[in-house]
PDB file of all heavy atoms in Angstrom:
ATOM      1  N   VAL A   1      -0.398  -5.233 -20.153  1.00 97.00           N
ATOM      2  CA  VAL A   1       0.926  -5.218 -19.344  1.00 97.00           C
ATOM      3  C   VAL A   1       1.490  -3.869 -19.182  1.00 97.00           C
ATOM      4  O   VAL A   1       1.586  -3.006 -20.220  1.00 97.00           O
ATOM      5  CB  VAL A   1       1.869  -6.155 -20.076  1.00 97.00           C
ATOM      6  CG1 VAL A   1       3.243  -6.245 -19.454  1.00 97.00           C
ATOM      7  CG2 VAL A   1       1.344  -7.702 -20.253  1.00 97.00           C
ATOM      8  N   LYS A   2       1.977  -3.566 -18.023  1.00 96.00           N
ATOM      9  CA  LYS A   2       2.472  -2.256 -17.683  1.00 96.00           C
ATOM     10  C   LYS A   2       1.435  -1.130 -18.012  1.00 96.00           C
ATOM     11  O   LYS A   2       1.746   0.014 -18.403  1.00 96.00           O
ATOM     12  CB  LYS A   2       3.733  -1.882 -18.412  1.00 96.00           C
ATOM     13  CG  LYS A   2       4.905  -2.921 -18.067  1.00 96.00           C
ATOM     14  CD  LYS A   2       6.260  -2.379 -18.604  1.00 96.00           C
ATOM     15  CE  LYS A   2       7.293  -3.452 -18.283  1.00 96.00           C
ATOM     16  NZ  LYS A   2       7.473  -3.826 -16.851  1.00 96.00           N
ATOM     17  N   GLY A   3       0.165  -1.536 -17.791  1.00 97.00           N
ATOM     18  CA  GLY A   3      -0.951  -0.521 -18.085  1.00 97.00           C
ATOM     19  C   GLY A   3      -0.897   0.748 -17.125  1.00 97.00           C
ATOM     20  O   GLY A   3      -1.412   1.750 -17.598  1.00 97.00           O
ATOM     21  N   ASP A   4      -0.263   0.540 -15.969  1.00 96.00           N
ATOM     22  CA  ASP A   4      -0.203   1.700 -15.041  1.00 96.00           C
ATOM     23  C   ASP A   4       0.749   2.840 -15.573  1.00 96.00           C
ATOM     24  O   ASP A   4       0.765   3.904 -14.976  1.00 96.00           O
ATOM     25  CB  ASP A   4       0.142   1.227 -13.608  1.00 96.00           C
ATOM     26  CG  ASP A   4       1.362   0.343 -13.585  1.00 96.00           C
ATOM     27  OD1 ASP A   4       1.944   0.024 -14.660  1.00 96.00           O
ATOM     28  OD2 ASP A   4       1.588  -0.306 -12.490  1.00 96.00           O
ATOM     29  N   GLY A   5       1.532   2.488 -16.545  1.00 96.00           N
ATOM     30  CA  GLY A   5       2.324   3.549 -17.173  1.00 96.00           C
ATOM     31  C   GLY A   5       1.760   4.003 -18.485  1.00 96.00           C
ATOM     32  O   GLY A   5       2.459   4.758 -19.242  1.00 96.00           O
ATOM     33  N   LEU A   6       0.619   3.565 -18.859  1.00 97.00           N
ATOM     34  CA  LEU A   6       0.010   3.775 -20.210  1.00 97.00           C
ATOM     35  C   LEU A   6      -1.412   4.542 -20.134  1.00 97.00           C
ATOM     36  O   LEU A   6      -1.668   5.414 -20.858  1.00 97.00           O
ATOM     37  CB  LEU A   6      -0.188   2.687 -21.060  1.00 97.00           C
ATOM     38  CG  LEU A   6       1.205   1.954 -21.362  1.00 97.00           C
ATOM     39  CD1 LEU A   6       0.752   0.406 -22.065  1.00 97.00           C
ATOM     40  CD2 LEU A   6       1.903   2.659 -22.347  1.00 97.00           C
ATOM     41  N   TYR A   7      -2.166   4.089 -19.188  1.00 97.00           N
ATOM     42  CA  TYR A   7      -3.524   4.623 -19.076  1.00 97.00           C
ATOM     43  C   TYR A   7      -3.817   5.350 -17.630  1.00 97.00           C
ATOM     44  O   TYR A   7      -3.452   4.826 -16.630  1.00 97.00           O
ATOM     45  CB  TYR A   7      -4.564   3.518 -19.202  1.00 97.00           C
ATOM     46  CG  TYR A   7      -4.672   2.978 -20.622  1.00 97.00           C
ATOM     47  CD1 TYR A   7      -3.792   1.942 -21.088  1.00 97.00           C
ATOM     48  CD2 TYR A   7      -5.359   3.561 -21.631  1.00 97.00           C
ATOM     49  CE1 TYR A   7      -3.740   1.489 -22.296  1.00 97.00           C
ATOM     50  CE2 TYR A   7      -5.360   3.174 -22.987  1.00 97.00           C
ATOM     51  CZ  TYR A   7      -4.551   2.101 -23.285  1.00 97.00           C
ATOM     52  OH  TYR A   7      -4.572   1.615 -24.581  1.00 97.00           O
ATOM     53  N   ALA A   8      -4.372   6.485 -17.779  1.00 97.00           N
ATOM     54  CA  ALA A   8      -4.668   7.317 -16.533  1.00 97.00           C
ATOM     55  C   ALA A   8      -5.541   6.574 -15.567  1.00 97.00           C
ATOM     56  O   ALA A   8      -5.132   6.684 -14.337  1.00 97.00           O
ATOM     57  CB  ALA A   8      -5.352   8.585 -16.935  1.00 97.00           C
ATOM     58  N   SER A   9      -6.519   5.958 -15.940  1.00 98.00           N
ATOM     59  CA  SER A   9      -7.317   5.178 -14.901  1.00 98.00           C
ATOM     60  C   SER A   9      -6.594   4.082 -14.195  1.00 98.00           C
ATOM     61  O   SER A   9      -6.805   3.737 -13.052  1.00 98.00           O
ATOM     62  CB  SER A   9      -8.658   4.731 -15.491  1.00 98.00           C
ATOM     63  OG  SER A   9      -8.389   3.731 -16.493  1.00 98.00           O
ATOM     64  N   ILE A  10      -5.763   3.287 -14.871  1.00 98.00           N
ATOM     65  CA  ILE A  10      -4.971   2.344 -14.294  1.00 98.00           C
ATOM     66  C   ILE A  10      -3.975   2.885 -13.277  1.00 98.00           C
ATOM     67  O   ILE A  10      -3.734   2.383 -12.215  1.00 98.00           O
ATOM     68  CB  ILE A  10      -4.348   1.338 -15.228  1.00 98.00           C
ATOM     69  CG1 ILE A  10      -5.308   0.679 -16.245  1.00 98.00           C
ATOM     70  CG2 ILE A  10      -3.583   0.208 -14.607  1.00 98.00           C
ATOM     71  CD1 ILE A  10      -4.773  -0.187 -17.301  1.00 98.00           C
ATOM     72  N   ALA A  11      -3.332   3.955 -13.777  1.00 97.00           N
ATOM     73  CA  ALA A  11      -2.290   4.656 -12.946  1.00 97.00           C
ATOM     74  C   ALA A  11      -3.007   5.203 -11.673  1.00 97.00           C
ATOM     75  O   ALA A  11      -2.483   5.050 -10.512  1.00 97.00           O
ATOM     76  CB  ALA A  11      -1.695   5.864 -13.611  1.00 97.00           C
ATOM     77  N   ALA A  12      -4.243   5.677 -11.846  1.00 98.00           N
ATOM     78  CA  ALA A  12      -4.955   6.278 -10.678  1.00 98.00           C
ATOM     79  C   ALA A  12      -5.361   5.155  -9.725  1.00 98.00           C
ATOM     80  O   ALA A  12      -5.244   5.188  -8.471  1.00 98.00           O
ATOM     81  CB  ALA A  12      -6.275   6.872 -11.123  1.00 98.00           C
ATOM     82  N   ALA A  13      -5.722   3.963 -10.347  1.00 98.00           N
ATOM     83  CA  ALA A  13      -6.033   2.719  -9.422  1.00 98.00           C
ATOM     84  C   ALA A  13      -4.804   2.256  -8.619  1.00 98.00           C
ATOM     85  O   ALA A  13      -4.820   1.778  -7.508  1.00 98.00           O
ATOM     86  CB  ALA A  13      -6.551   1.551 -10.284  1.00 98.00           C
ATOM     87  N   SER A  14      -3.581   2.345  -9.365  1.00 97.00           N
ATOM     88  CA  SER A  14      -2.319   1.970  -8.805  1.00 97.00           C
ATOM     89  C   SER A  14      -2.060   2.744  -7.598  1.00 97.00           C
ATOM     90  O   SER A  14      -1.584   2.247  -6.567  1.00 97.00           O
ATOM     91  CB  SER A  14      -1.288   2.032  -9.862  1.00 97.00           C
ATOM     92  OG  SER A  14      -0.032   1.963  -9.294  1.00 97.00           O
ATOM     93  N   ILE A  15      -2.364   4.159  -7.703  1.00 98.00           N
ATOM     94  CA  ILE A  15      -1.979   5.063  -6.753  1.00 98.00           C
ATOM     95  C   ILE A  15      -2.879   4.784  -5.517  1.00 98.00           C
ATOM     96  O   ILE A  15      -2.466   4.785  -4.329  1.00 98.00           O
ATOM     97  CB  ILE A  15      -2.151   6.428  -7.189  1.00 98.00           C
ATOM     98  CG1 ILE A  15      -0.846   6.679  -8.066  1.00 98.00           C
ATOM     99  CG2 ILE A  15      -2.244   7.511  -6.084  1.00 98.00           C
ATOM    100  CD1 ILE A  15      -1.052   7.949  -8.945  1.00 98.00           C
ATOM    101  N   LEU A  16      -4.225   4.582  -5.698  1.00 98.00           N
ATOM    102  CA  LEU A  16      -5.124   4.377  -4.605  1.00 98.00           C
ATOM    103  C   LEU A  16      -4.736   3.014  -3.950  1.00 98.00           C
ATOM    104  O   LEU A  16      -4.791   3.063  -2.736  1.00 98.00           O
ATOM    105  CB  LEU A  16      -6.558   4.333  -5.102  1.00 98.00           C
ATOM    106  CG  LEU A  16      -7.123   5.619  -5.657  1.00 98.00           C
ATOM    107  CD1 LEU A  16      -8.604   5.511  -5.806  1.00 98.00           C
ATOM    108  CD2 LEU A  16      -6.796   6.817  -4.765  1.00 98.00           C
ATOM    109  N   ALA A  17      -4.635   2.038  -4.648  1.00 98.00           N
ATOM    110  CA  ALA A  17      -4.279   0.677  -4.143  1.00 98.00           C
ATOM    111  C   ALA A  17      -3.037   0.868  -3.155  1.00 98.00           C
ATOM    112  O   ALA A  17      -3.007   0.257  -2.126  1.00 98.00           O
ATOM    113  CB  ALA A  17      -4.055  -0.355  -5.173  1.00 98.00           C
ATOM    114  N   LYS A  18      -2.063   1.495  -3.749  1.00 98.00           N
ATOM    115  CA  LYS A  18      -0.705   1.546  -3.030  1.00 98.00           C
ATOM    116  C   LYS A  18      -0.879   2.433  -1.751  1.00 98.00           C
ATOM    117  O   LYS A  18      -0.409   2.049  -0.733  1.00 98.00           O
ATOM    118  CB  LYS A  18       0.337   2.254  -3.928  1.00 98.00           C
ATOM    119  CG  LYS A  18       1.660   2.590  -3.278  1.00 98.00           C
ATOM    120  CD  LYS A  18       2.504   1.435  -2.792  1.00 98.00           C
ATOM    121  CE  LYS A  18       3.879   1.917  -2.341  1.00 98.00           C
ATOM    122  NZ  LYS A  18       4.494   0.814  -1.617  1.00 98.00           N
ATOM    123  N   THR A  19      -1.523   3.545  -1.859  1.00 98.00           N
ATOM    124  CA  THR A  19      -1.628   4.411  -0.692  1.00 98.00           C
ATOM    125  C   THR A  19      -2.540   3.947   0.373  1.00 98.00           C
ATOM    126  O   THR A  19      -2.141   3.944   1.605  1.00 98.00           O
ATOM    127  CB  THR A  19      -2.112   5.839  -1.096  1.00 98.00           C
ATOM    128  OG1 THR A  19      -3.359   5.805  -1.887  1.00 98.00           O
ATOM    129  CG2 THR A  19      -1.075   6.617  -1.913  1.00 98.00           C
ATOM    130  N   TYR A  20      -3.690   3.168   0.034  1.00 98.00           N
ATOM    131  CA  TYR A  20      -4.473   2.663   1.018  1.00 98.00           C
ATOM    132  C   TYR A  20      -3.826   1.475   1.683  1.00 98.00           C
ATOM    133  O   TYR A  20      -3.893   1.264   2.838  1.00 98.00           O
ATOM    134  CB  TYR A  20      -5.780   2.068   0.358  1.00 98.00           C
ATOM    135  CG  TYR A  20      -6.859   3.193   0.245  1.00 98.00           C
ATOM    136  CD1 TYR A  20      -6.958   4.067  -0.776  1.00 98.00           C
ATOM    137  CD2 TYR A  20      -7.877   3.252   1.214  1.00 98.00           C
ATOM    138  CE1 TYR A  20      -7.876   5.195  -0.943  1.00 98.00           C
ATOM    139  CE2 TYR A  20      -8.845   4.176   1.063  1.00 98.00           C
ATOM    140  CZ  TYR A  20      -8.911   5.116   0.010  1.00 98.00           C
ATOM    141  OH  TYR A  20      -9.947   6.085  -0.010  1.00 98.00           O
ATOM    142  N   ARG A  21      -3.066   0.634   0.915  1.00 98.00           N
ATOM    143  CA  ARG A  21      -2.351  -0.383   1.550  1.00 98.00           C
ATOM    144  C   ARG A  21      -1.166   0.058   2.499  1.00 98.00           C
ATOM    145  O   ARG A  21      -1.076  -0.568   3.555  1.00 98.00           O
ATOM    146  CB  ARG A  21      -1.756  -1.375   0.462  1.00 98.00           C
ATOM    147  CG  ARG A  21      -1.175  -2.648   1.085  1.00 98.00           C
ATOM    148  CD  ARG A  21      -0.581  -3.727   0.074  1.00 98.00           C
ATOM    149  NE  ARG A  21      -0.214  -4.884   0.826  1.00 98.00           N
ATOM    150  CZ  ARG A  21       0.754  -5.013   1.427  1.00 98.00           C
ATOM    151  NH1 ARG A  21       1.714  -4.042   1.571  1.00 98.00           N
ATOM    152  NH2 ARG A  21       1.077  -6.156   2.177  1.00 98.00           N
ATOM    153  N   ASP A  22      -0.410   1.085   2.021  1.00 98.00           N
ATOM    154  CA  ASP A  22       0.631   1.671   2.944  1.00 98.00           C
ATOM    155  C   ASP A  22       0.095   2.021   4.212  1.00 98.00           C
ATOM    156  O   ASP A  22       0.602   1.884   5.240  1.00 98.00           O
ATOM    157  CB  ASP A  22       1.309   2.648   2.234  1.00 98.00           C
ATOM    158  CG  ASP A  22       2.283   2.213   1.083  1.00 98.00           C
ATOM    159  OD1 ASP A  22       2.494   1.004   0.962  1.00 98.00           O
ATOM    160  OD2 ASP A  22       2.871   3.101   0.343  1.00 98.00           O
ATOM    161  N   GLU A  23      -1.112   2.782   4.279  1.00 98.00           N
ATOM    162  CA  GLU A  23      -1.700   3.203   5.456  1.00 98.00           C
ATOM    163  C   GLU A  23      -1.995   2.074   6.369  1.00 98.00           C
ATOM    164  O   GLU A  23      -1.886   2.074   7.620  1.00 98.00           O
ATOM    165  CB  GLU A  23      -2.969   3.928   5.126  1.00 98.00           C
ATOM    166  CG  GLU A  23      -2.883   5.371   4.733  1.00 98.00           C
ATOM    167  CD  GLU A  23      -4.291   6.119   4.664  1.00 98.00           C
ATOM    168  OE1 GLU A  23      -5.244   5.392   4.858  1.00 98.00           O
ATOM    169  OE2 GLU A  23      -4.238   7.325   4.329  1.00 98.00           O
ATOM    170  N   HIS A  24      -2.545   1.019   5.773  1.00 98.00           N
ATOM    171  CA  HIS A  24      -2.930  -0.240   6.558  1.00 98.00           C
ATOM    172  C   HIS A  24      -1.649  -0.794   7.107  1.00 98.00           C
ATOM    173  O   HIS A  24      -1.824  -1.215   8.354  1.00 98.00           O
ATOM    174  CB  HIS A  24      -3.633  -1.237   5.667  1.00 98.00           C
ATOM    175  CG  HIS A  24      -4.078  -2.495   6.321  1.00 98.00           C
ATOM    176  ND1 HIS A  24      -5.216  -2.529   7.213  1.00 98.00           N
ATOM    177  CD2 HIS A  24      -3.528  -3.740   6.310  1.00 98.00           C
ATOM    178  CE1 HIS A  24      -5.248  -3.737   7.625  1.00 98.00           C
ATOM    179  NE2 HIS A  24      -4.310  -4.406   7.193  1.00 98.00           N
ATOM    180  N   MET A  25      -0.699  -0.997   6.376  1.00 98.00           N
ATOM    181  CA  MET A  25       0.660  -1.580   6.968  1.00 98.00           C
ATOM    182  C   MET A  25       1.252  -0.662   8.095  1.00 98.00           C
ATOM    183  O   MET A  25       1.851  -1.276   9.050  1.00 98.00           O
ATOM    184  CB  MET A  25       1.618  -1.841   5.809  1.00 98.00           C
ATOM    185  CG  MET A  25       1.136  -2.860   4.843  1.00 98.00           C
ATOM    186  SD  MET A  25       0.689  -4.418   5.438  1.00 98.00           S
ATOM    187  CE  MET A  25       2.173  -4.977   6.286  1.00 98.00           C
ATOM    188  N   ILE A  26       1.095   0.606   8.000  1.00 98.00           N
ATOM    189  CA  ILE A  26       1.638   1.490   9.076  1.00 98.00           C
ATOM    190  C   ILE A  26       0.767   1.157  10.264  1.00 98.00           C
ATOM    191  O   ILE A  26       1.259   1.115  11.388  1.00 98.00           O
ATOM    192  CB  ILE A  26       1.520   2.943   8.571  1.00 98.00           C
ATOM    193  CG1 ILE A  26       2.634   3.170   7.548  1.00 98.00           C
ATOM    194  CG2 ILE A  26       1.733   3.870   9.840  1.00 98.00           C
ATOM    195  CD1 ILE A  26       2.517   4.468   6.913  1.00 98.00           C
ATOM    196  N   GLN A  27      -0.616   1.012  10.179  1.00 98.00           N
ATOM    197  CA  GLN A  27      -1.421   0.587  11.344  1.00 98.00           C
ATOM    198  C   GLN A  27      -0.957  -0.783  11.844  1.00 98.00           C
ATOM    199  O   GLN A  27      -0.718  -0.865  13.159  1.00 98.00           O
ATOM    200  CB  GLN A  27      -2.886   0.609  10.874  1.00 98.00           C
ATOM    201  CG  GLN A  27      -3.530   1.985  10.539  1.00 98.00           C
ATOM    202  CD  GLN A  27      -4.853   1.797  10.015  1.00 98.00           C
ATOM    203  OE1 GLN A  27      -5.415   0.624   9.958  1.00 98.00           O
ATOM    204  NE2 GLN A  27      -5.422   2.936   9.699  1.00 98.00           N
ATOM    205  N   LEU A  28      -0.620  -1.629  11.040  1.00 98.00           N
ATOM    206  CA  LEU A  28      -0.238  -2.962  11.562  1.00 98.00           C
ATOM    207  C   LEU A  28       1.138  -2.954  12.153  1.00 98.00           C
ATOM    208  O   LEU A  28       1.413  -3.524  13.235  1.00 98.00           O
ATOM    209  CB  LEU A  28      -0.194  -4.045  10.555  1.00 98.00           C
ATOM    210  CG  LEU A  28      -1.524  -4.408   9.792  1.00 98.00           C
ATOM    211  CD1 LEU A  28      -1.206  -5.617   8.831  1.00 98.00           C
ATOM    212  CD2 LEU A  28      -2.558  -4.766  10.823  1.00 98.00           C
ATOM    213  N   HIS A  29       2.042  -1.982  11.684  1.00 98.00           N
ATOM    214  CA  HIS A  29       3.378  -1.763  12.323  1.00 98.00           C
ATOM    215  C   HIS A  29       3.165  -1.352  13.742  1.00 98.00           C
ATOM    216  O   HIS A  29       4.057  -1.691  14.598  1.00 98.00           O
ATOM    217  CB  HIS A  29       4.083  -0.614  11.495  1.00 98.00           C
ATOM    218  CG  HIS A  29       5.339  -0.114  12.282  1.00 98.00           C
ATOM    219  ND1 HIS A  29       6.552  -0.765  12.220  1.00 98.00           N
ATOM    220  CD2 HIS A  29       5.503   1.063  12.971  1.00 98.00           C
ATOM    221  CE1 HIS A  29       7.374  -0.104  12.908  1.00 98.00           C
ATOM    222  NE2 HIS A  29       6.755   0.925  13.375  1.00 98.00           N
ATOM    223  N   ARG A  30       2.197  -0.537  14.039  1.00 98.00           N
ATOM    224  CA  ARG A  30       2.038  -0.117  15.477  1.00 98.00           C
ATOM    225  C   ARG A  30       1.759  -1.287  16.417  1.00 98.00           C
ATOM    226  O   ARG A  30       2.088  -1.269  17.571  1.00 98.00           O
ATOM    227  CB  ARG A  30       0.926   0.867  15.554  1.00 98.00           C
ATOM    228  CG  ARG A  30       1.175   2.172  14.805  1.00 98.00           C
ATOM    229  CD  ARG A  30       0.121   3.238  15.041  1.00 98.00           C
ATOM    230  NE  ARG A  30       0.469   4.525  14.239  1.00 98.00           N
ATOM    231  CZ  ARG A  30      -0.331   4.815  13.186  1.00 98.00           C
ATOM    232  NH1 ARG A  30      -1.427   4.120  12.914  1.00 98.00           N
ATOM    233  NH2 ARG A  30      -0.095   5.840  12.467  1.00 98.00           N
ATOM    234  N   GLU A  31       1.136  -2.359  15.846  1.00 98.00           N
ATOM    235  CA  GLU A  31       0.841  -3.589  16.621  1.00 98.00           C
ATOM    236  C   GLU A  31       2.090  -4.460  16.757  1.00 98.00           C
ATOM    237  O   GLU A  31       2.275  -5.150  17.718  1.00 98.00           O
ATOM    238  CB  GLU A  31      -0.413  -4.325  15.971  1.00 98.00           C
ATOM    239  CG  GLU A  31      -0.925  -5.390  16.780  1.00 98.00           C
ATOM    240  CD  GLU A  31      -2.067  -6.024  16.100  1.00 98.00           C
ATOM    241  OE1 GLU A  31      -2.658  -5.512  15.171  1.00 98.00           O
ATOM    242  OE2 GLU A  31      -2.490  -7.101  16.644  1.00 98.00           O
ATOM    243  N   TYR A  32       2.868  -4.535  15.522  1.00 98.00           N
ATOM    244  CA  TYR A  32       3.985  -5.485  15.514  1.00 98.00           C
ATOM    245  C   TYR A  32       5.138  -4.623  14.903  1.00 98.00           C
ATOM    246  O   TYR A  32       5.469  -4.826  13.813  1.00 98.00           O
ATOM    247  CB  TYR A  32       3.694  -6.653  14.749  1.00 98.00           C
ATOM    248  CG  TYR A  32       2.837  -7.628  15.263  1.00 98.00           C
ATOM    249  CD1 TYR A  32       1.428  -7.644  14.979  1.00 98.00           C
ATOM    250  CD2 TYR A  32       3.218  -8.617  16.163  1.00 98.00           C
ATOM    251  CE1 TYR A  32       0.541  -8.462  15.598  1.00 98.00           C
ATOM    252  CE2 TYR A  32       2.360  -9.487  16.665  1.00 98.00           C
ATOM    253  CZ  TYR A  32       1.026  -9.528  16.426  1.00 98.00           C
ATOM    254  OH  TYR A  32       0.223 -10.312  17.024  1.00 98.00           O
ATOM    255  N   PRO A  33       5.812  -3.795  15.833  1.00 98.00           N
ATOM    256  CA  PRO A  33       6.810  -2.782  15.303  1.00 98.00           C
ATOM    257  C   PRO A  33       8.068  -3.478  14.949  1.00 98.00           C
ATOM    258  O   PRO A  33       8.984  -2.879  14.201  1.00 98.00           O
ATOM    259  CB  PRO A  33       7.009  -1.810  16.513  1.00 98.00           C
ATOM    260  CG  PRO A  33       6.610  -2.541  17.544  1.00 98.00           C
ATOM    261  CD  PRO A  33       5.454  -3.424  17.203  1.00 98.00           C
ATOM    262  N   VAL A  34       8.359  -4.780  15.397  1.00 98.00           N
ATOM    263  CA  VAL A  34       9.703  -5.390  15.068  1.00 98.00           C
ATOM    264  C   VAL A  34      10.021  -5.576  13.704  1.00 98.00           C
ATOM    265  O   VAL A  34      11.193  -5.804  13.327  1.00 98.00           O
ATOM    266  CB  VAL A  34       9.816  -6.698  15.984  1.00 98.00           C
ATOM    267  CG1 VAL A  34       9.739  -6.407  17.468  1.00 98.00           C
ATOM    268  CG2 VAL A  34       8.801  -7.735  15.485  1.00 98.00           C
ATOM    269  N   TYR A  35       9.011  -5.688  12.779  1.00 98.00           N
ATOM    270  CA  TYR A  35       9.172  -6.042  11.468  1.00 98.00           C
ATOM    271  C   TYR A  35       9.450  -4.829  10.539  1.00 98.00           C
ATOM    272  O   TYR A  35       9.858  -5.098   9.332  1.00 98.00           O
ATOM    273  CB  TYR A  35       8.019  -6.880  10.897  1.00 98.00           C
ATOM    274  CG  TYR A  35       7.685  -8.009  11.777  1.00 98.00           C
ATOM    275  CD1 TYR A  35       6.561  -8.166  12.463  1.00 98.00           C
ATOM    276  CD2 TYR A  35       8.478  -9.260  11.608  1.00 98.00           C
ATOM    277  CE1 TYR A  35       6.299  -9.220  13.298  1.00 98.00           C
ATOM    278  CE2 TYR A  35       8.205 -10.370  12.374  1.00 98.00           C
ATOM    279  CZ  TYR A  35       7.198 -10.305  13.285  1.00 98.00           C
ATOM    280  OH  TYR A  35       6.811 -11.496  13.931  1.00 98.00           O
ATOM    281  N   GLY A  36       9.312  -3.769  11.029  1.00 98.00           N
ATOM    282  CA  GLY A  36       9.674  -2.510  10.140  1.00 98.00           C
ATOM    283  C   GLY A  36       8.618  -2.264   9.147  1.00 98.00           C
ATOM    284  O   GLY A  36       9.019  -1.727   8.032  1.00 98.00           O
ATOM    285  N   TRP A  37       7.402  -2.578   9.304  1.00 98.00           N
ATOM    286  CA  TRP A  37       6.357  -2.436   8.290  1.00 98.00           C
ATOM    287  C   TRP A  37       6.072  -1.011   7.861  1.00 98.00           C
ATOM    288  O   TRP A  37       5.557  -0.667   6.801  1.00 98.00           O
ATOM    289  CB  TRP A  37       5.083  -3.107   8.704  1.00 98.00           C
ATOM    290  CG  TRP A  37       5.247  -4.642   8.678  1.00 98.00           C
ATOM    291  CD1 TRP A  37       6.122  -5.361   8.069  1.00 98.00           C
ATOM    292  CD2 TRP A  37       4.398  -5.637   9.445  1.00 98.00           C
ATOM    293  NE1 TRP A  37       5.946  -6.736   8.278  1.00 98.00           N
ATOM    294  CE2 TRP A  37       4.837  -6.804   9.139  1.00 98.00           C
ATOM    295  CE3 TRP A  37       3.302  -5.394  10.266  1.00 98.00           C
ATOM    296  CZ2 TRP A  37       4.256  -8.061   9.738  1.00 98.00           C
ATOM    297  CZ3 TRP A  37       2.685  -6.608  10.828  1.00 98.00           C
ATOM    298  CH2 TRP A  37       3.212  -7.783  10.518  1.00 98.00           C
TER     299      TRP A  37
END
């Protein structure tokens, strides 16, 4: 629990998952800009 604030590899995974997903949502925003993604 809260491993992303305790272990480097979980924090690293947290950062990759977040940044890759954010990139994807920005791409979807270009298709549907009304939602502010």
Side-chain angles (χ1 to χ4, degrees):
V1 176
K2 300 189 183 301
D4 47 6
L6 296 172
Y7 290 93
S9 62
I10 301 180
S14 169
I15 287 163
L16 293 193
K18 171 68 174 165
T19 54
Y20 274 83
R21 187 179 188 281
D22 283 358
E23 273 186 5
H24 181 78
M25 293 307 297
I26 289 170
Q27 290 174 359
L28 295 187
H29 167 78
R30 297 188 183 111
E31 189 175 351
Y32 289 93
V34 296
Y35 303 105
W37 291 337

